[in-house]
Amino acid sequence: MPELPEVEALKDFLTENLVGHEIVRVLPVAISVLKTYDPPVTSVEGHEVTAVRRYGKFLDLVTAEGPHLVTHLARAGWLQWKDRLPSGMPRPGKGPLALRVALETGAGFDLTEAGTQKRLAVYVVQDPQDVPGVARLGPDPLADDFDETRFAALLKDERRQIKGALRDQSLIAGVGNAYSDEILHAAKMSPFKLAAALTPQETALLYEALRTTLTEAVERSRGLAAGRLKAEKKSGLRVHGRTGEPCPVCGDTIREVSFSDSSLQYCPTCQTGGKPLADRRMSRLLK
């Protein structure tokens, strides 16, 4: 799933390649991708793209005197840029293509989604705040005003595990499953620790790990073409998706806890005092 660093890099890439160009065609191939119908998706046609913005994991294409085209790539969605789009109309039901956006230059991009769970979402709205997911976002963790005091205030009354708190988009925008694992590993903290139970020192360490991990990931991705971002994300992860491999910090074996629709990875030596976590949803919290 693309998270804050990859979406930030996509924003920069699209700013360079879209701004100043006119959208001439928007072709929805999978109707399920459209989450709004008024104004219609075709209402962005004939308008110049003036800016590309990011809200958490959402991308916002701003058009001159027209609506916003807002996208959420969800778990299996991606954006594929093409310097020359294929001619002809794409055929519905053939492959992962969900929506195509064409510019006056002949270039453009495809939104694609792998798998059978269709969660890729496109909204055409007059204001990004009209998108429910954008309206309920918490603060951006890389914003200039997101300091340690504000972070501590967010966690103060959170009576849940820190892993879940970090992934909650209404609490902090943009962090998902992968980077929450990376942040907790950098902070040397159990994913099952209660958020409200953090000491001031632990909160400070977690805040530093949050900012550093995301900033470094953004810098690794900056300037890359859209097609290279997935590989860059995977290569930069130290624990997430690396079950059974040695921890790059201490050499212990990276372990996994599986849930019904996701999993987390961690290092016992670095994060849980050497104690493996029970691989069950109801694992007890580590103190």
Side-chain angles (χ1 to χ4, degrees):
M1 176 185 292
E3 299 179 34
L4 186 155
E6 295 77 49
V7 180
E8 179 71 11
L10 280 174
K11 182 206 75 174
D12 291 345
F13 176 84
L14 291 176
T15 296
E16 181 178 347
N17 288 277
L18 286 181
V19 171
H21 292 288
E22 178 187 341
I23 296 175
V24 295
R25 292 294 299 276
V26 180
L27 300 170
V29 179
I31 298 301
S32 61
V33 75
L34 297 177
K35 306 305 179 185
T36 56
Y37 303 95
D38 184 22
V41 68
T42 53
S43 63
V44 300
E45 296 178 351
H47 293 279
E48 177 185 318
V49 179
T50 58
V52 182
R53 298 171 182 155
R54 177 185 62 79
Y55 301 95
K57 302 177 192 177
F58 289 84
L59 273 173
D60 172 24
L61 273 59
V62 185
T63 64
E65 300 179 356
H68 296 248
L69 183 70
V70 180
T71 300
H72 191 286
L73 295 171
R75 175 169 293 185
W78 196 245
L79 185 149
Q80 298 183 356
W81 179 263
K82 299 180 186 296
D83 291 328
R84 178 62 58 178
L85 287 169
S87 59
M89 296 287 291
R91 296 178 60 186
K94 300 293 183 180
L97 179 60
L99 183 132
R100 174 167 290 166
V101 175
L103 304 179
E104 89 286 357
T105 60
F109 63 85
D110 288 341
L111 294 179
T112 62
E113 186 170 26
T116 58
Q117 293 186 347
K118 301 303 181 183
R119 298 177 179 175
L120 178 67
V122 173
Y123 308 81
V124 180
V125 291
Q126 298 297 341
D127 185 329
Q129 293 299 317
D130 294 336
V131 177
V134 173
R136 63 173 174 261
L137 286 175
D140 192 292
L142 293 185
D144 292 340
D145 61 352
F146 190 80
D147 57 15
E148 185 181 326
T149 300
R150 189 174 186 187
F151 180 60
L154 290 174
L155 298 182
K156 182 179 64 173
D157 298 320
E158 284 295 326
R159 309 295 300 179
R160 54 178 163 170
Q161 296 166 355
I162 189 61
K163 166 78 174 180
L166 289 175
R167 292 184 62 187
D168 184 348
Q169 299 304 294
S170 64
L171 190 72
I172 301 171
V175 179
N177 196 32
Y179 286 107
S180 58
D181 282 352
E182 297 299 299
I183 291 162
L184 290 167
H185 180 256
K188 300 185 180 299
M189 187 173 296
S190 168
F192 288 171
K193 191 172 185 65
L194 197 64
L198 298 183
T199 66
Q201 182 181 18
E202 289 172 329
T203 300
L205 288 172
L206 186 59
Y207 172 78
E208 181 62 27
L210 171 72
R211 297 273 288 197
T212 300
T213 299
L214 294 178
T215 299
E216 290 178 351
V218 168
E219 290 303 316
R220 287 196 306 270
S221 300
R222 194 179 300 279
L224 294 181
R228 295 175 55 194
L229 288 172
K230 284 185 179 181
E232 173 55 42
K233 176 180 180 178
K234 185 175 181 180
S235 68
L237 298 175
R238 302 199 295 178
V239 291
H240 184 80
R242 300 193 179 278
T243 304
E245 298 180 23
C247 171
V249 174
C250 71
D252 194 2
T253 301
I254 294 171
R255 306 291 184 97
E256 177 177 302
V257 177
S258 298
F259 304 104
S260 60
D261 60 351
S262 66
S263 63
L264 65 84
Q265 286 80 43
Y266 68 100
C267 170
T269 294
C270 290
Q271 296 175 252
T272 61
K275 178 182 177 182
L277 301 174
D279 190 8
R280 292 182 180 276
R281 183 180 294 272
M282 298 305 293
S283 295
R284 297 179 62 187
L285 300 178
L286 291 184
K287 301 295 185 182

